[in-house]
Amino acid sequence: MNKRLSAIKIGELVKVSSVEPSVLKVKLSEMGIVAGRMLEVLYRAPFGDPIAVDVDGYVLSLRLDEADLIHVETKV
Amino acid sequence: MKIALLGNPNTGKSSVFNLLTGMRQHVGNFPGVTVDKKSGSILLENEKAELIDFPGTYSIYPRSRDERVVYKSLCDKNNPDYPDAVFVVVDASNLERNLLLFSQVYDLQLPIVMLLNMTDLAIKRNKRYNVEELRELFPEAKIIETNARAGTGKQRILEAAENIPQRHGHSIIENYSPAPIDDHHAQDEEANHRFKKIKDVMHLIEEKLEQKHDFSRKVDRIIVHPVLGYLIFALILLTIFQAIYSFAQIPMDYIDGWFNQFGGWVGSSLPEGVFTDLLSQGIIPGIGGVVVFIPQIALLFFFIAILEETGYLSRVVFIMDRLMRPLGLNGKSVVPLLSSVACAIPGIMSARTISDWKERTITILVAPLMSCSARIPVYTLLIALVIPDERIWGFMNVRGLVLFGLYALGLISALLIAFILKWLINTKEKGFLLLEMPSYKAPKWSNVGIKVWEKVHVFVLDAGKIILAISIVLWALATYGPTERMKNAEIYANELAIKKNLNGEQTNQLIASEKLESSYMGILGKSIEPVISPLGYDWKIGISLITSFAAREVFVGSMATIYSVQEDGKSNLSLIQKLRREKRKDGSAVYTLASGTSLMVFYVFAMQCMATMAVVKRETKSWKWPLIQLGYMGVLAYLLALVTFNILT
């Protein structure tokens, strides 16, 4: 199933399928968010924004509008 | 030999830098940016090499204005900072991501050493890395395992520095040349390409046993908890603020007293004359005025260094981001802003941790609006003078309410101005978060110590020069005046003293008062009277407004001199009595509710601290911003004081 990272629930393991072309794309790529990368949503900040995501070994915090750019596949 | 030190953020790069350079560090400038260029010397067998610490980056391509120095220094052979060799610190527990930057620098054909750091963390996380495989992947690099926090590897690093292998053209991406600095598309393709290549060999380099996550994740559930998280943060802030406020007081008083005594001693020991006066009344108190800030700066940075070293600071950003973003501020702005309630100088210096230029600049610009402790003597005096000592609503003390109101006014305007500045200041860069959250770890105390030393050092040398210069100018203006005028003032004072039968002490005060009035400072005060009378002030207040440009608390002492009253510590009784009796030409009182409150409002907003301006200049590397600050705060102070005076009259 294809979704955006911003809609993924805590604890769910997903795989990056693509990243929206945008100014941030290269910055996300350089931090390891490329097609095929495994991600897990760990926790959210008090207002639900930003979120903390495990990127195959380290923890990255992203704003919801940044997470929105990341298309992921969930394991069904 | 010039060696560049690079690495991702949170790889222990500063520990490596401190390990190799110790106290032989100094701070300089990267041309064109506000990032400090930290360099230090490494003692090798045959020579002293210069190690330049570059900002931590995930790639050679910049994601912020400040990070452009990395690309510019490494990709342009003619750049003055182009290195002879590069050390890249790599986090052994995060190899895959770290290899992006490493492979980029490797492909640039620079002689290169990989410092495979945080090896202990890799072990804790059950990750086993294969150094031999890494060596096969990067045959022209030297690879050394280190644990900079524990201090191991220093000898091996130094030996490596003496024997860095020559490059013969091997690269991961064939025929590599870096993409143009602003070509995001090409940079993105490169990143994808590199990660593909890296992923293909990762199974050879790294063995992930059963995943073990450190306790950081469990702790984070509490730290980012909607209630507990903020509570913990508030408690930490309160502790820091309280500590700065109280623990700094004792050494500050001591420094004040010592410099006073020293100045007096020099004044009486050396032969009378202009030079002695300059030394004992201008230079020595001027230096004292710089040194007195050291306790506050040291304390604040001690705490901030701990917050950074432990990894907690990124959690602060995490929970504050949603709140600060609409104001154009960063989660990291909270520490500078709240510290500014004690003193804006260390507060503004700590804004350095904010990597986005716009957010950092806005934080620096509004920080002085947070009513600092220097305003307290002014508020205390004026409140006692014009605010009735009554209770309203049965229990609220009016005076306390006014004091609270002044602080609230400062805070609210800081947030409002930040909001306005967000729209006014134009940058092409859009803000983003993308913040790595490192594992929690115990602070390395030597890193903390070096950081505190560095901040104090930079303040005393950079800002200190400016502060000293301005205080000497102000002293000269207040001590000297047109010769005839000054002579007549002294004669007049003496005659008046005899007429009024004053004793020695009182006579001296009267002479001081008359001399101040006749000095250039006095002339200045009188000349601005037409400008400040719409606010309810007279020329005597005018003089004090100018003198307290140096530092707000000078206001009280200055007033005491003008009214030839002895400064009697915190109670100001005799001064208050004198002020109450002051009358204008038309017979009405000078200090009324209207004029007093207007003056208090003026002090909430006006930029009256040369030390702050000196620090802002230093942090923004230009006079533009402190002057803008002086300007906008001055305008605000004038207009709001005017409005206040008119409303209350």
Side-chain angles (χ1 to χ4, degrees), chain B residues 48-232:
Chain B
K48 239 200 269 187
E50 185 194 0
L51 186 66
I52 304 177
D53 187 14
F54 282 83
T57 51
Y58 295 101
S59 135
I60 56 171
Y61 302 116
R63 47 184 240 167
S64 73
R65 219 194 247 203
D66 289 346
E67 283 181 15
R68 292 170 90 89
V69 292
V70 175
Y71 183 93
K72 293 205 174 138
S73 308
L74 295 181
C75 299
D76 177 10
K77 293 200 165 79
N78 296 318
N79 186 295
D81 293 312
Y82 184 78
D84 300 303
V86 186
F87 285 174
V88 182
V89 182
V90 166
D91 176 2
S93 69
N94 244 313
L95 265 177
E96 199 171 339
R97 192 198 72 213
N98 275 251
L99 285 178
L100 177 78
L101 175 66
F102 183 80
S103 63
Q104 283 177 327
V105 182
Y106 182 84
D107 285 0
L108 286 174
Q109 299 305 311
L110 286 157
I112 185 168
V113 177
M114 178 194 289
L115 301 178
L116 194 56
N117 199 27
M118 301 174 89
T119 45
D120 52 335
L121 197 55
I123 295 175
K124 247 193 250 178
R125 291 210 186 142
N126 262 344
K127 288 185 176 180
R128 302 281 183 266
Y129 53 87
N130 187 329
V131 185
E132 282 315 311
E133 270 304 323
L134 277 171
R135 292 197 171 114
E136 255 182 69
L137 195 58
F138 301 102
E140 289 177 11
K142 195 151 204 163
I143 300 182
I144 306 178
E145 292 163 79
T146 61
N147 182 343
R149 276 174 61 87
T152 60
K154 179 173 178 184
Q155 246 340 92
R156 274 176 281 136
I157 301 175
L158 294 179
E159 279 163 14
E162 284 155 18
N163 282 314
I164 305 182
Q166 287 270 0
R167 295 307 304 263
H168 298 292
H170 181 248
S171 62
I172 301 296
I173 291 185
E174 290 179 7
N175 298 320
Y176 177 66
S177 74
I181 196 171
D182 290 313
D183 186 349
H184 299 302
H185 186 71
Q187 296 166 11
D188 180 46
E189 295 210 332
E190 182 187 325
N192 275 283
H193 189 181
R194 282 189 190 277
F195 274 125
K196 209 175 275 161
K197 291 213 151 197
I198 293 171
K199 199 152 193 138
D200 285 342
V201 292
M202 268 320 278
H203 64 282
L204 297 168
I205 305 174
E206 189 182 64
E207 194 191 338
K208 271 192 257 192
L209 306 173
E210 192 205 304
Q211 278 285 293
K212 228 211 288 185
H213 291 303
D214 27 42
F215 77 113
S216 294
R217 304 214 177 160
K218 299 196 194 112
V219 174
D220 273 334
R221 289 194 200 285
I222 309 174
I223 302 286
V224 303
H225 186 267
V227 177
L228 277 177
Y230 290 115
L231 223 72
I232 293 173

Side-chain angles (χ1 to χ4, degrees), chain B residues 543-598:
Chain B
I543 295 180
S544 297
L545 284 181
I546 302 177
T547 54
S548 58
F549 168 71
R552 295 169 177 102
E553 65 268 28
V554 169
F555 177 78
V556 180
S558 192
M559 291 291 267
T561 304
I562 294 171
Y563 288 95
S564 53
V565 169
Q566 185 64 345
E567 237 187 298
D568 50 5
K570 309 235 163 107
S571 62
N572 297 315
L573 272 175
S574 31
L575 179 58
I576 293 179
Q577 283 167 355
K578 219 33 186 322
L579 294 174
R580 285 222 174 98
R581 287 180 266 147
E582 271 292 295
K583 299 262 186 282
R584 300 176 198 272
K585 290 200 174 75
D586 63 4
S588 62
V590 174
Y591 297 96
T592 61
L593 179 68
S595 60
T597 313
S598 151

Side-chain angles (χ1 to χ4, degrees), chain B residues 304-521:
Chain B
I304 290 181
I306 294 179
L307 292 184
E308 279 182 326
E309 282 276 308
T310 51
Y312 179 66
L313 206 59
S314 56
R315 275 75 181 176
V316 168
V317 178
F318 189 72
I319 61 175
M320 295 301 294
D321 184 64
R322 189 70 190 79
L323 299 170
M324 305 298 272
R325 216 192 316 162
L327 298 169
L329 297 169
N330 184 293
K332 287 187 182 173
S333 302
V334 190
V335 176
L337 288 179
L338 276 157
S339 315
S340 298
V341 181
C343 176
I345 281 121
I348 289 172
M349 287 172 75
S350 68
R352 187 162 282 282
T353 54
I354 303 171
S355 34
D356 179 68
W357 173 85
K358 182 172 168 180
E359 288 166 354
R360 183 168 70 231
T361 306
I362 293 181
T363 305
I364 291 176
L365 284 174
V366 302
L369 286 171
M370 309 290 290
S371 285
C372 69
S373 50
R375 289 171 167 95
I376 296 181
V378 180
Y379 293 164
T380 313
L381 175 67
L382 293 173
I383 288 177
L385 184 57
V386 302
I387 306 290
D389 192 6
E390 290 164 3
R391 289 179 187 278
I392 61 170
W393 307 326
F395 68 98
M396 269 260 82
N397 184 308
V398 181
R399 288 182 170 179
L401 202 58
V402 170
L403 184 63
F404 174 74
L406 293 168
Y407 272 91
L409 187 58
L411 172 63
I412 296 172
S413 17
L415 297 178
L416 257 166
I417 305 278
F419 183 67
I420 296 173
L421 285 174
K422 177 178 143 175
W423 295 108
L424 284 181
I425 301 183
N426 260 321
T427 36
K428 274 178 268 149
E429 297 167 24
K430 184 183 169 251
F432 59 86
L433 185 64
L434 293 194
L435 180 70
E436 185 185 347
M437 315 262 271
S439 314
Y440 288 110
K441 51 191 194 295
K444 185 156 196 250
W445 297 107
S446 57
N447 281 352
V448 172
I450 290 182
K451 188 166 269 164
V452 170
W453 159 253
E454 188 201 310
K455 292 294 180 188
V456 168
H457 194 233
V458 152
F459 170 74
V460 170
L461 289 185
D462 281 2
K465 275 185 270 194
I466 301 174
I467 298 169
L468 183 60
I470 298 181
S471 50
I472 291 179
V473 168
L474 288 174
W475 164 80
L477 284 176
T479 312
Y480 298 101
T483 346
E484 269 310 304
R485 236 179 114 106
M486 292 298 274
K487 249 195 275 176
N488 290 336
E490 196 156 356
I491 295 172
Y492 171 74
N494 275 311
E495 288 175 358
L496 192 59
I498 294 172
K499 240 200 264 177
K500 287 189 163 184
N501 241 324
L502 301 178
N503 64 31
E505 187 73 59
Q506 293 167 321
T507 310
N508 283 332
Q509 283 162 20
L510 190 60
I511 295 177
S513 163
E514 289 298 324
K515 276 179 127 180
L516 179 58
E517 196 183 318
S518 310
S519 69
Y520 293 114
M521 187 73 81

